[in-house]
Amino acid sequence: MKLEVSGLNSHYGPAHILFDVGFEVGAGEVVALLGRNGAGKSTTFRSIVGLVSQRTGQIRFEGEDVSRLPTYDIVRRGLGYVPEDRRVFTELTVEENFVVGRQPARPGVATWTPERIYELFPNLGEMRKRPGGQMSGGEQQMLTIGRTLMGNPSLVLLDEPSEGLAPKIVEQMADAILTMKREGLSIVISEQNLHFAKLISDRAYIIEKGRMRFSGTMAELEANPEIRDAYLAV
Amino acid sequence: MEFLLVQALSGLSSAASLFLVASGLSIIFGVMRIVNFAHGAFYMLGAYVAFTLTDRFSGPLGFWGGILVACLIVSVVGALMEMLLLRRIYHAPELFQLLATFGVTLMVQDIVLLIWGPEDLMGPRAPGFTGAIELLGRRVPTYDLLLIGLGPLVLGLLWLLFHGTRWGVLVRAATQDRDMVAALGVNQKWLFTSVFALGVFLAALGGALQIPRTTVSHAMDLSIIVEVFVVVVIGGLGSVPGAFVAAVLVSELNAFGILVLPKISMVVVFLVMAVVLVVRPWGLFGKPEGTPRAAAGLSIRPWKPMSGVERMLVALAVVAAAALPLFAGNYVLSVSTEILVFVLFAASLHFLMTVGGLASFGHAAYFGLGAYGAAFMVKYLGAPMELALLAGPLLGLAGAVLFGWFCVRLSGVYFAMLTLAFAQIAWSVAFQWVEVTGGDNGMLSIWPSSWASSPQAFFWLTLGIVAVGVGVLRMLVFSPFGFGLRAARDSSLRSEAIGINRKSTQWVAFIVAGTFAGVAGSLLAFLKGSVFPENLAIPTSVDGLVMVLLGGIETVSGAVIGAIVYKALAIWLMSKTELSKLILGATIVLLVVAFPKGIVGFLEDLRHRLKPPRQNGAKPEAALVAKAEAAE
Amino acid sequence: MNALLQVEKLAKSYGGVHAVRGVSFALEAGKILALIGPNGAGKSTCFNMLNGQIRPNAGSIRLEGQEIIGLPPRAVWRRGVGRTFQITATFPSMTVRENVQVTLLSFHHRLWAMVGYAGAAYRDEANRLLALVGMEQQAERPCGELAYGDLKRLELAIALANNPRLLLMDEPTAGMAPKERVDLMRLTADIAREKGIGVLFTEHDMDVVFEHADAVMVLNRGELIARGTPEEVRRDPQVRAIYLGEGLLYHDKDQGSAA
């Protein structure tokens, strides 16, 4: 297994957010973490990369327990994280954004250069010197994914990559994610948009009120409209 | 003409050190969002350590090497402070960060006194730059020319560092989003420490380079930090080019201002700053702050008017206090009266900073102005105490009207720095305008009317005024005006969208707070029989902040209790030790790190923990969950 | 006829970049109009110009025939424009009822009063507004601990407190559960139609847009590229190319591809 999470509990101050969350991702798999707003998707991701200080549980990445490591160390091991709402560095140019994400090449993992990212997202190649703040939402989403790829990750957590984007751009995003998959990356996306998740995912988990409620293939989810309606209510 | 040129060059050479310190402060603020009050202390340390090293090792290598080593030593000290103190308070409200770094400033003052003694020190001249050259028939020191060249050189080097190196790009990225930098595999702890060390290095360099020009003294830290605050407010906090331009501007204004208004040259700088703030509130090169951080003391528990029992308890406390003269001696009464004066001062500051969300670092200005107002009434108009007590605070009010109009244009740290700068201007006027204020000698013989001249009578008079004053301030919290003020504090966006004029509302709050501080100041003038510039100096402002913080920032009772405990402790401490600043500084740091909610906040938390959970509505925990997720 | 809101040739640019150009539209009382478009298309800029937060470079905004450009947000509000924000803006240190009370105090020009207990002012009126949005049970709760959907409803109550003629809602259902979305929009629509309030809202959830709006406008790169009934806009080939895509990502009755 690429990533195994088990017994994950997280708190914000007095509030208990995640309850014994567990899931796994195999090498080269695209897994969707589905759930409503506030269900705990973002917190799950933030907990995995160590951005939530109060958390317990086991997080094994490539067989090693990373749950006690600081954020930067987890990321340097090849676990990339793309946050919700993008968070590009608005003052920095596209190229400089990539410089921040740059990490040494890692054996056995696709190595990314700015040029290769421009191939994946041709729009970005046309605006290398443009500050991140002067880009559209879709371009920023491409930039934030490209920036994480510069760290040569073997697994990427993508937090709601479709949020706030035009449906048209979301379709492009789906293509890019499938390309990343072909490069051998494991990918976890969190989504509310079931339509989008269906386009790209192999398996899905459903999280609701901080607990895992469902696990199965996309076909199984399709065959279970009750579950879908109960937890996603599209 | 020649004279003007020389004056301009002299201004430019002063600008170098100012720029070094201001750019260091700006860089640190950019990345860490902390205004490092201790920056003046590092400037001073740089000068003292450089003095010792250049004194011991002579020759060019000894001098320039000594300066470099001094800066490195001080930046190591800075790095240690970052690791031991700042890392614990990165997520605290701005006010606490300012206070903690001010606490360090206080500690450094006493440490410098212990190591280097109280005398001013005269350092060596710079080898190779001892002479002067003739320019248009006037002699200009070559060392000044060196400094003039140094400013643009450092500016250029910093630009290269931030745009040409990966470290620089990382720093610029972290300036915007620290967590995101970590989430891309960068060890931000060390990034922060290195940035802080760089900023401190620049401050120490600014100080070390001063030793061939001026004596090394204890007043260096506060005088430079005020000037630096003015520079970054004009130039824009976080902007290095802004720091450069503003440092040149301020230095030139000082150089020429002294020709126009020799007594109060600061006023010229103040006027320019005022104009800049009206035209560009974020400084010449600054950007508007993003979403402001939560103001200190923003509690999740809404305030409620007192219950009947609580009212009874307060009435009892006042009655008990009124009984004090029946058995206490004169010394205790005089100390108690002083404590009461500071209770009103702290309550007025609390109103401004907690209810209004405006943490002022210069509230003593209005306290001191009230004191001077009363003294002027007595000295120049021969007014009796009763009239002076009524009219004196009007000077505090006038000051608040004038300064407040500018201050409420800003918020957060900008507001704090601007209030501090205004207070310092008021102080320097009181200090320098000897004909009117008596300068450092103060104004003496401000005595109460005969009926109130006994310690007992004056205590009762003070108790009455203070009780009414605090009561009025608390009543204001629950008045419609108080509601509007709290609304403007909670959300400036929403308050403007429901018809509230935020600036006017906060301006009025500023004036109210300044007036009550002025009442306290007038009382102090008659209690002490004298008025001194120190009444409106920075330490008095900070005393007020510490009182509020110690008692607990969230409630009026906190300000009252904090003032009582703090003032009593301070008076006791002064009588026991020489190192009161060291202890006070350490106390502030400890409070901020360990007890940010103060005495009353601690008790309130205890009370809420002991109370059974609420019955109505959903569990607050569930709501917090939703909020935490939504906030992401 | 004279529309409630008449916007003509509205334009705004930042440093040479045209955020909004030549936007014109009208809104009648009691109608619900949606403004959609990709992120960065200029929707927020439009909204901020309408309530006075940003001053446009050119154009006119007339509310019931009167020009409102140049007025600060608080003056626009006094003319009868209520607004909710994309990220809710309320007063977290006050109770839910106090949030509404302070709005009512402002509406009645009473915020400068320094005596009297504000917690007793306009209590009934505040309770009525809270009941209207279904928040009367939570009146005493600290606003800071409300759930997200409740905050949105409180914001609606605040926005209704000045008897607005026009309601601006910036992504009113963002971040809400699907059931909450439907409830909130239905509530808004009912109130608007009953009181004759014109509503302009932005939204990314096409299901919400197509179900609740009387008319839809599409903004792209600062320009209006389409407007019409939801049905017309949905079929518009240009809108499909630029914004809606192949219809894989919302309920599309035509293609039958929805879940």
Side-chain angles (χ1 to χ4, degrees):
Chain A
M1 279 293 130
K2 196 80 196 165
L3 175 71
E4 296 160 84
V5 177
S6 57
L8 186 63
N9 282 275
S10 293
H11 298 77
Y12 284 118
H16 196 164
I17 312 267
L18 297 184
F19 301 84
D20 289 322
V21 165
F23 68 100
E24 23 181 72
V25 186
E29 238 190 335
V30 178
V31 172
L33 182 60
L34 303 169
R36 293 172 184 156
N37 216 307
K41 303 187 299 295
S42 292
T43 305
T44 303
F45 281 8
R46 292 168 52 83
S47 300
I48 291 171
V49 291
L51 288 172
V52 176
S53 51
Q54 298 169 276
R55 49 131 205 229
T56 57
Q58 215 181 38
I59 301 159
R60 296 186 83 79
F61 178 61
E62 297 181 335
E64 277 184 82
D65 185 4
V66 298
S67 60
R68 290 174 195 284
L69 299 179
T71 301
Y72 75 92
D73 204 352
I74 298 173
V75 173
R76 281 187 192 173
R77 283 161 193 258
L79 201 161
Y81 165 62
V82 179
E84 194 184 12
D85 63 30
R86 307 185 265 282
R87 292 167 75 173
V88 301
F89 301 115
T90 51
E91 304 282 306
L92 271 54
T93 62
V94 170
E95 286 175 339
E96 287 175 329
N97 268 279
F98 288 161
V99 168
V100 178
R102 194 177 72 210
Q103 293 288 337
R106 202 169 278 120
V109 177
T111 304
W112 294 86
T113 59
E115 290 310 319
R116 288 199 61 209
I117 292 166
Y118 298 140
E119 278 169 35
L120 186 64
F121 299 118
N123 296 24
L124 294 182
E126 295 160 18
M127 47 180 77
R128 302 174 188 204
K129 300 278 181 201
R130 187 179 295 182
Q134 292 178 19
M135 302 167 74
S136 73
E139 289 156 358
Q140 287 190 343
Q141 185 65 51
M142 297 170 193
L143 179 57
T144 186
I145 293 176
R147 189 177 61 179
T148 296
L149 289 178
M150 282 296 291
N152 304 316
S154 59
L155 179 144
V156 179
L157 306 175
L158 277 174
D159 199 354
E160 300 216 26
S162 74
E163 198 193 11
L165 298 184
K168 166 103 177 158
I169 302 287
V170 177
E171 285 170 10
Q172 287 180 17
M173 207 56 73
D175 286 342
I177 289 170
L178 290 173
T179 307
M180 285 157 59
K181 183 185 178 186
R182 278 195 297 277
E183 292 281 345
L185 262 79
S186 310
I187 298 167
V188 190
I189 62 158
S190 84
E191 264 304 326
Q192 300 193 61
N193 187 329
L194 188 60
H195 309 297
F196 176 59
K198 274 195 301 199
L199 290 178
I200 53 174
S201 317
D202 303 316
R203 290 192 298 121
Y205 290 89
I206 293 180
I207 187 169
E208 168 70 11
K209 292 188 177 153
R211 294 174 209 270
M212 282 297 185
R213 301 293 187 178
F214 170 86
S215 150
T217 63
M218 291 312 285
E220 284 167 358
L221 180 57
E222 197 74 357
N224 265 307
E226 325 75 68
I227 287 185
R228 207 183 56 205
D229 292 346
Y231 296 123
L232 302 176
V234 184
Chain B
M1 181 61 218
E2 296 83 9
F3 174 69
L4 292 183
L5 178 80
V6 172
Q7 202 67 19
L9 285 177
S10 150
L12 275 181
S13 63
S14 310
S17 277
L18 197 51
F19 162 62
L20 286 173
V21 185
S23 63
L25 187 87
S26 248
I27 292 168
I28 290 174
F29 176 80
V31 177
M32 306 175 178
R33 300 284 130 181
I34 281 189
V35 172
N36 179 28
F37 211 125
H39 226 59
F42 291 125
Y43 167 84
M44 179 167 77
L45 271 182
Y48 271 101
V49 177
F51 168 83
T52 300
L53 291 176
T54 54
D55 197 47
R56 174 139 335 156
F57 308 102
S58 56
L61 188 68
F63 182 84
W64 298 112
I67 286 197
L68 190 68
V69 172
C71 297
L72 290 174
I73 291 175
V74 176
S75 58
V76 168
V77 173
L80 284 175
M81 167 179 153
E82 194 273 341
M83 293 192 293
L84 296 177
L85 170 61
L86 298 185
R87 281 186 186 178
R88 295 169 202 278
I89 55 170
Y90 279 128
H91 296 288
E94 289 149 348
L95 165 71
F96 290 4
Q97 297 166 347
L98 270 167
L99 268 175
T101 50
F102 182 80
V104 172
T105 307
L106 282 179
M107 290 162 75
V108 169
Q109 283 178 348
D110 264 0
I111 290 167
V112 165
L113 200 66
L114 277 175
I115 299 177
W116 284 280
E119 288 86 29
D120 287 5
L121 303 174
M122 192 74 191
R125 323 268 321 255
F129 294 91
T130 51
I133 58 166
E134 292 245 329
L135 257 179
L136 298 171
R138 288 181 179 263
R139 293 171 60 77
V140 180
T142 48
Y143 190 73
D144 279 11
L145 294 177
L146 175 76
L147 290 181
I148 291 173
L150 193 73
L153 180 73
V154 171
L155 179 65
L157 285 176
L158 286 175
W159 193 89
L160 279 181
L161 183 64
F162 287 126
H163 289 83
T165 68
R166 179 158 191 258
W167 184 84
V169 174
L170 293 182
V171 168
R172 283 162 58 216
T175 300
Q176 187 189 340
D177 191 337
R178 297 177 268 185
D179 278 353
M180 197 55 230
V181 172
L184 289 167
V186 177
N187 185 345
Q188 56 163 351
K189 272 191 181 169
W190 289 110
L191 190 67
F192 277 28
T193 307
S194 58
V195 167
F196 197 77
L198 173 72
V200 170
F201 182 91
L202 291 169
L205 185 62
L209 288 173
Q210 286 298 305
I211 56 174
R213 298 184 84 211
T214 57
T215 57
V216 182
S217 77
H218 294 108
M220 288 177 83
D221 56 347
L222 285 186
S223 69
I224 190 87
I225 199 70
V226 170
E227 263 194 277
V228 163
F229 281 1
V230 171
V231 164
V232 293
V233 165
I234 292 179
L237 202 45
S239 161
V240 174
F244 182 76
V245 171
V248 170
L249 186 68
V250 167
S251 300
E252 291 298 339
L253 285 169
N254 274 331
F256 289 101
I258 224 144
L259 306 176
V260 187
L261 291 167
K263 291 280 177 203
I264 37 176
S265 54
M266 274 295 261
V267 172
V268 182
V269 176
F270 151 62
L271 287 174
V272 171
M273 182 170 75
V275 172
V276 170
L277 286 177
V278 172
V279 183
R280 283 187 65 93
W282 314 108
L284 296 173
F285 290 76
K287 271 179 281 164
E289 275 178 295
T291 35
R293 270 185 285 179
L298 203 67
S299 169
I300 201 168
R301 289 195 288 271
W303 288 331
K304 287 202 173 72
M306 279 190 223
S307 66
V309 178
E310 284 164 325
R311 274 166 217 266
M312 289 282 286
L313 286 176
V314 170
L316 268 177
V318 174
V319 170
L324 189 67
L326 302 181
F327 50 84
N330 283 358
Y331 175 73
V332 171
L333 272 186
S334 136
V335 167
S336 305
T337 311
E338 189 173 342
I339 289 174
L340 282 175
V341 166
F342 278 91
V343 163
L344 183 56
F345 176 55
S348 71
L349 177 60
H350 170 272
F351 179 75
L352 185 62
M353 72 190 223
T354 305
V355 187
L358 301 164
S360 168
F361 261 67
H363 201 51
Y366 317 100
F367 180 73
L369 282 174
Y372 274 102
F376 292 157
M377 290 301 293
V378 172
K379 285 283 161 186
Y380 298 118
L381 298 175
M385 178 192 80
E386 295 79 6
L387 186 59
L389 275 182
L390 282 175
L394 295 181
L395 195 60
L397 182 145
V401 167
L402 176 66
F403 296 158
W405 191 82
F406 293 101
C407 292
V408 298
R409 260 137 238 281
L410 307 182
S411 60
V413 285
Y414 281 89
F415 178 86
M417 289 192 295
L418 191 60
T419 49
L420 180 109
F422 278 130
Q424 192 64 5
I425 285 159
W427 174 84
S428 65
V429 170
F431 190 78
Q432 291 177 347
W433 205 5
V434 180
E435 294 85 347
V436 177
T437 63
D440 205 16
N441 295 324
M443 300 175 75
L444 308 175
S445 312
I446 322 291
W447 298 116
S449 302
S450 52
W451 65 265
S453 60
S454 75
Q456 288 81 6
F458 198 75
F459 176 85
W460 277 318
L461 174 68
T462 307
L463 180 65
I465 294 176
V466 169
V468 169
V470 174
V472 168
L473 283 171
R474 191 177 150 89
M475 215 179 66
L476 273 179
V477 174
F478 296 100
S479 71
F481 173 73
F483 266 47
L485 185 61
R486 282 153 63 190
R489 173 200 68 184
D490 275 11
S491 168
S492 124
L493 189 64
R494 170 52 72 195
S495 59
E496 285 280 339
I498 59 162
I500 295 175
N501 188 334
R502 181 185 67 82
K503 278 182 205 157
S504 306
T505 306
Q506 294 188 334
W507 189 30
V508 170
F510 199 99
I511 295 167
V512 168
T515 308
F516 279 94
V519 172
S522 298
L523 282 170
L524 187 81
F526 283 102
L527 170 69
K528 298 280 182 185
S530 55
V531 180
F532 293 101
E534 66 167 48
N535 294 142
L536 29 71
I538 296 173
T540 310
S541 292
V542 174
D543 278 353
L545 287 167
V546 178
M547 287 172 198
V548 177
L549 185 64
L550 174 67
I553 201 163
E554 287 180 7
T555 58
V556 181
S557 52
V560 172
I561 289 170
I564 294 171
V565 174
Y566 175 82
K567 200 66 201 172
L569 268 179
I571 290 170
W572 179 74
L573 207 60
M574 289 284 247
S575 66
K576 292 283 174 202
T577 170
E578 295 283 293
L579 300 175
S580 56
K581 282 181 185 166
L582 190 65
I583 297 174
L584 176 59
T587 311
I588 295 176
V589 169
L590 185 75
L591 267 178
V592 168
V593 173
F595 303 102
K597 285 191 160 184
I599 299 171
V600 174
F602 179 75
L603 294 177
E604 286 257 305
D605 275 356
L606 210 62
R607 200 176 74 168
H608 275 259
R609 222 169 290 162
L610 296 178
K611 251 172 45 171
R614 51 195 307 123
Q615 303 91 357
N616 67 323
K619 277 187 305 182
E621 193 174 276
L624 266 171
V625 176
K627 225 173 50 143
E629 275 275 327
E632 282 173 9
Chain C
M1 76 166 265
N2 213 351
L4 167 68
L5 177 71
Q6 185 84 46
V7 175
E8 265 160 46
K9 300 205 175 89
L10 203 58
K12 176 74 189 176
S13 61
Y14 298 102
V17 181
H18 295 281
V20 171
R21 33 186 177 179
V23 166
S24 305
F25 65 91
L27 171 61
E28 282 160 33
K31 294 287 180 197
I32 298 177
L33 179 59
L35 180 63
I36 63 172
N39 258 355
K43 301 190 299 288
S44 291
T45 306
C46 271
F47 260 61
N48 289 338
M49 288 193 284
L50 288 174
N51 90 320
Q53 269 180 39
I54 296 178
R55 202 190 167 107
N57 300 116
S60 86
I61 303 171
R62 284 201 298 277
L63 185 70
E64 294 178 319
Q66 297 217 312
E67 184 62 60
I68 59 168
I69 284 181
L71 299 178
R74 56 177 186 275
V76 173
W77 178 80
R78 294 236 174 258
R79 302 276 178 102
V81 179
R83 166 151 195 196
T84 67
F85 293 92
Q86 192 177 339
I87 298 164
T88 54
T90 53
F91 308 123
S93 78
M94 301 180 175
T95 66
V96 169
R97 188 190 293 114
E98 285 170 350
N99 266 269
V100 182
Q101 282 173 310
V102 73
T103 313
L104 288 166
L105 281 163
S106 175
F107 180 56
H108 293 286
H109 297 277
R110 280 203 42 208
L111 272 184
W112 291 107
M114 294 205 179
V115 288
Y117 175 47
Y122 306 111
R123 230 181 140 86
D124 298 338
E125 211 173 328
N127 286 341
R128 258 201 307 282
L129 280 162
L130 287 173
L132 194 62
V133 299
M135 289 284 290
E136 68 273 34
Q137 297 297 323
Q138 317 208 42
E140 306 282 346
R141 287 185 67 189
C143 165
E145 59 172 54
L146 288 185
Y148 197 65
D150 289 342
L151 273 179
K152 291 265 182 191
R153 288 195 285 168
L154 171 59
E155 244 203 341
L156 183 58
I158 291 173
L160 291 170
N162 64 334
N163 296 326
R165 314 287 306 126
L166 171 66
L167 202 51
L168 303 172
M169 302 177 85
D170 202 352
E171 299 201 17
T173 72
M176 295 176 87
K179 168 109 171 47
E180 284 184 310
R181 293 181 184 205
V182 174
D183 291 348
L184 185 84
M185 282 317 286
R186 206 162 276 160
L187 176 68
T188 307
D190 289 348
I191 294 171
R193 289 188 180 117
E194 185 194 333
K195 304 197 171 196
I197 301 173
V199 178
L200 178 66
F201 75 106
T202 67
E203 186 57 62
H204 278 298
D205 185 330
M206 290 308 117
D207 297 331
V208 170
V209 169
F210 291 145
E211 184 172 341
H212 295 285
D214 295 315
V216 180
M217 303 186 288
V218 186
L219 198 62
N220 186 51
R221 292 178 190 269
E223 285 177 296
L224 283 184
I225 57 165
R227 67 150 58 118
T229 65
E231 201 56 27
E232 287 163 359
V233 167
R234 201 199 317 239
R235 290 167 192 276
D236 187 311
Q238 199 190 354
V239 176
R240 289 195 97 95
I242 288 174
Y243 185 68
L244 294 177
E246 301 301 317
L248 303 176
L249 299 165
Y250 55 94
H251 291 250
D252 192 327
K253 293 167 197 155
D254 296 346
Q255 298 196 350
S257 67

